[in-house]
Amino acid sequence: MRGIEELDVGGHAVLLRADLNVPRDGARITDDGRIRASLPTITDLTGRGGRVIICAHLGRPSGGSYEERAAGGPSLAPVAVRLGELLGNQVRMAEDAAGKSAEAVAAGLRDGEVALLENVRFEPTETSKDDAKRSELAARLAALAQLYVGDGFGALHRKHASVYDVPGLLPHAAGKLVLAEVDVLRRLTRDPDRPYVVVLGGAKPSDKLAVIANLLDKADRLIIGGGMSYTFLAARGHEVGRSLLEADQLDRVSGLMAEAGRRGVEIVLPVDLVGATHFAADAEHEVFPVAGFPADRESMDMGPETRALFASKLADARTVFWNGPVGVFEFPAFAAGTLAVAQAISRVQGLTVVGGGDSAAAVRQLGFPEGAFGHISTGGGASLEYLEGASLPGLAALEASA
Ligand code: 3PG
Ligand code: MG
């Protein structure tokens, strides 16, 4: 895969696909990690006189037409403002994703300047499964520039026009973020130091069963916490009350636990839970052992014995991959589990990787410095699919020559 140093960008328009899909509260950006992670590639390109036209998505706009989607939002305008602050230079914002305004902004850029196109998912065909529909949009995007740089690691698992089709139309290279992320993931899949411990949290086991199946070949221990652990506990016959449960996944989860047992991979599940009366920051809550969880409570966090258990199962690790918070860390009363996992991982001697937008935002919100972990990945879905052994469409497109 070619890196950007192999592109002669001076005086040329470069279409840079970045992942600027930041968590927000209304129009306010609550974690700008993905914007910061995009800076090294942007400043490298501008420093060499490139004219950088950034293409990115935000959220999952809905609606049948461009107009409907644009009216519903979200617009990337607040991201352009934040990016400009971080760069110390104004970022011009196009009013559309690949239309007249995008053309005018791209044509007006001078060497070393940066522009941001409007949310590419306002274009309904960006995410289309129909190759011909995506191609039409890809051609409009490619016409804005002479070169393409793929640096949106978090979106590489999407077969979308701006991620998968445009690199086929322009000379292209992978940005610094993509190369750094892929390098770390390769180290996790090729001969990791042992014990290799994987911590999985987040809401749904269905999103992660494929990666778990693949990890049974590679990891020594799987710690499962948070929203997805309740389906595992239920599969072992425990009452989980009104906690998150994917009832249609119980059989698959039981099958995976049996397979883990056959292969000697240890699966670690919570032993106590923080059960709340309802989902709210100030909900009344108590700790219950998993063997005695009440039918009318909802688990929002890991209990103290689980926190100690998880920490002890991380203490001897030499390689760790963590994806997904293990409690509702956004509410301070339910952040102890995620904090305990982050602390235990930060003490590990070896390669530690925190993967995914939510876990990355969690460790920053909980006050961990960047250096507390070996690598904080900007891509949850993308890193999981890589670890699953799947081919990422955006990566395949960057690897193909053009
Ligand atoms: C992400 O946030 O996971 C990436 O930006 C991809 O977004 P998506 O999950 O909406 O495709
Ligand atoms: Mg996602």
Side-chain angles (χ1 to χ4, degrees), residues 15 66 97-100 102-103 123-125 133-145 166 169:
L15 186 73
Y66 186 100
K100 290 270 168 286
E103 271 173 38
E123 291 280 354
T125 57
K133 288 185 180 161
R134 284 199 320 278
S135 292
E136 182 276 329
L137 171 60
R140 273 190 283 137
L141 286 166
L144 300 172
V166 186
L169 303 175

Coordinates of all heavy atoms in Angstrom, one line a residue, residues 15 66 97-100 102-103 123-125 133-145 166 169:
L15 N -8.2 14.9 -2.9 CA -9.4 14.6 -2.2 C -9.1 13.6 -1.0 O -8.5 12.5 -1.3 CB -10.4 13.9 -3.1 CG -11.8 13.6 -2.5 CD1 -12.6 14.9 -2.4 CD2 -12.6 12.6 -3.3
Y66 N -31.3 14.1 -1.7 CA -30.3 14.9 -1.1 C -30.9 16.0 -0.2 O -30.5 16.2 0.9 CB -29.4 15.6 -2.2 CG -28.2 16.4 -1.6 CD1 -27.0 15.8 -1.5 CD2 -28.4 17.6 -1.0 CE1 -25.9 16.5 -1.0 CE2 -27.4 18.3 -0.4 CZ -26.1 17.7 -0.4 OH -25.1 18.4 0.2
A97 N -22.2 18.3 -0.9 CA -21.2 17.2 -0.8 C -20.4 17.0 -2.1 O -19.2 16.7 -2.1 CB -21.8 15.9 -0.4
A98 N -21.1 17.2 -3.2 CA -20.4 16.9 -4.5 C -21.1 17.6 -5.6 O -21.2 17.1 -6.7 CB -20.4 15.4 -4.8
G99 N -21.7 18.8 -5.3 CA -22.4 19.6 -6.3 C -21.7 20.9 -6.7 O -20.5 21.0 -6.6
K100 N -22.5 21.9 -7.1 CA -22.0 23.1 -7.6 C -21.1 23.8 -6.5 O -20.0 24.4 -6.9 CB -23.1 24.1 -7.9 CG -23.9 23.6 -9.2 CD -23.3 24.3 -10.4 CE -23.9 23.6 -11.7 NZ -23.3 22.3 -12.0
A102 N -19.4 22.4 -4.0 CA -18.2 21.7 -3.9 C -17.2 22.0 -5.0 O -16.0 22.2 -4.8 CB -18.5 20.2 -3.9
E103 N -17.8 22.1 -6.2 CA -16.9 22.4 -7.4 C -16.3 23.7 -7.3 O -15.1 23.9 -7.6 CB -17.8 22.4 -8.7 CG -18.0 21.1 -9.4 CD -19.0 21.2 -10.5 OE1 -19.0 22.3 -11.2 OE2 -19.8 20.3 -10.7
E123 N -25.7 12.6 0.2 CA -25.9 12.0 -1.1 C -26.5 10.6 -0.9 O -25.7 9.7 -0.4 CB -24.6 11.9 -1.9 CG -23.9 13.2 -2.3 CD -24.6 13.7 -3.6 OE1 -25.4 13.0 -4.2 OE2 -24.2 14.8 -3.9
P124 N -27.7 10.3 -1.3 CA -28.3 9.0 -1.0 C -27.5 7.8 -1.6 O -27.6 6.7 -1.0 CB -29.7 9.1 -1.6 CG -30.0 10.5 -1.8 CD -28.7 11.2 -2.0
T125 N -26.8 8.0 -2.7 CA -26.1 6.9 -3.3 C -24.7 6.6 -2.6 O -24.1 5.6 -3.0 CB -25.9 7.1 -4.8 OG1 -25.2 8.3 -5.0 CG2 -27.3 7.2 -5.5
K133 N -25.0 3.1 -9.1 CA -25.4 4.3 -8.4 C -24.2 4.9 -7.7 O -24.1 6.1 -7.7 CB -26.6 4.0 -7.4 CG -27.9 3.7 -8.2 CD -29.0 3.6 -7.2 CE -30.3 3.3 -7.9 NZ -31.3 2.7 -7.0
R134 N -23.5 4.1 -7.0 CA -22.3 4.6 -6.3 C -21.3 5.2 -7.3 O -20.7 6.3 -7.0 CB -21.6 3.5 -5.5 CG -22.3 3.1 -4.2 CD -21.3 2.4 -3.3 NE -20.4 1.5 -4.0 CZ -20.7 0.3 -4.4 NH1 -21.9 -0.2 -4.1 NH2 -19.8 -0.5 -5.1
S135 N -21.2 4.6 -8.5 CA -20.2 5.1 -9.5 C -20.5 6.5 -9.9 O -19.5 7.3 -10.1 CB -20.2 4.2 -10.7 OG -19.7 2.9 -10.4
E136 N -21.7 6.8 -10.1 CA -22.1 8.1 -10.5 C -21.6 9.2 -9.5 O -21.0 10.2 -9.9 CB -23.6 8.2 -10.7 CG -24.1 9.5 -11.3 CD -24.4 10.6 -10.2 OE1 -24.7 10.2 -9.0 OE2 -24.2 11.8 -10.5
L137 N -21.8 8.9 -8.2 CA -21.4 9.8 -7.2 C -19.8 9.8 -7.1 O -19.2 10.9 -7.0 CB -21.9 9.4 -5.8 CG -21.4 10.2 -4.6 CD1 -21.6 11.7 -4.7 CD2 -22.0 9.7 -3.3
A138 N -19.2 8.7 -7.2 CA -17.8 8.6 -7.2 C -17.1 9.4 -8.3 O -16.1 10.1 -8.1 CB -17.3 7.1 -7.3
A139 N -17.7 9.4 -9.5 CA -17.2 10.2 -10.6 C -17.3 11.7 -10.3 O -16.3 12.5 -10.6 CB -18.0 9.9 -11.9
R140 N -18.4 12.1 -9.7 CA -18.5 13.6 -9.3 C -17.4 13.9 -8.2 O -16.9 15.0 -8.3 CB -19.9 13.9 -8.8 CG -20.9 14.2 -9.9 CD -22.2 14.7 -9.3 NE -23.0 13.7 -8.7 CZ -23.7 13.7 -7.6 NH1 -23.6 14.8 -6.8 NH2 -24.4 12.7 -7.2
L141 N -17.2 13.1 -7.3 CA -16.2 13.3 -6.2 C -14.8 13.4 -6.9 O -14.0 14.3 -6.6 CB -16.3 12.3 -5.1 CG -17.5 12.4 -4.2 CD1 -17.6 11.2 -3.3 CD2 -17.3 13.6 -3.3
A142 N -14.5 12.4 -7.7 CA -13.2 12.3 -8.3 C -12.9 13.5 -9.2 O -11.7 13.9 -9.3 CB -13.1 11.0 -9.1
A143 N -13.9 14.1 -9.8 CA -13.7 15.2 -10.7 C -13.3 16.5 -9.9 O -12.8 17.4 -10.5 CB -15.0 15.5 -11.4
L144 N -13.4 16.4 -8.6 CA -13.0 17.6 -7.8 C -11.5 17.7 -7.6 O -11.0 18.7 -7.1 CB -13.7 17.5 -6.4 CG -15.2 17.6 -6.3 CD1 -15.7 17.3 -4.9 CD2 -15.7 18.9 -6.9
A145 N -10.8 16.6 -7.9 CA -9.3 16.5 -7.5 C -8.5 15.7 -8.5 O -9.1 15.1 -9.4 CB -9.2 15.9 -6.1
V166 N -14.1 5.8 -5.2 CA -13.2 6.9 -5.7 C -11.8 6.5 -5.9 O -11.1 6.9 -6.8 CB -13.4 8.2 -4.8 CG1 -12.6 9.3 -5.4 CG2 -14.8 8.5 -4.6
L169 N -10.6 5.6 -9.2 CA -10.7 6.5 -10.3 C -9.5 7.5 -10.3 O -9.3 8.3 -11.2 CB -12.0 7.3 -10.2 CG -13.3 6.5 -10.2 CD1 -14.5 7.4 -9.9 CD2 -13.4 5.8 -11.5

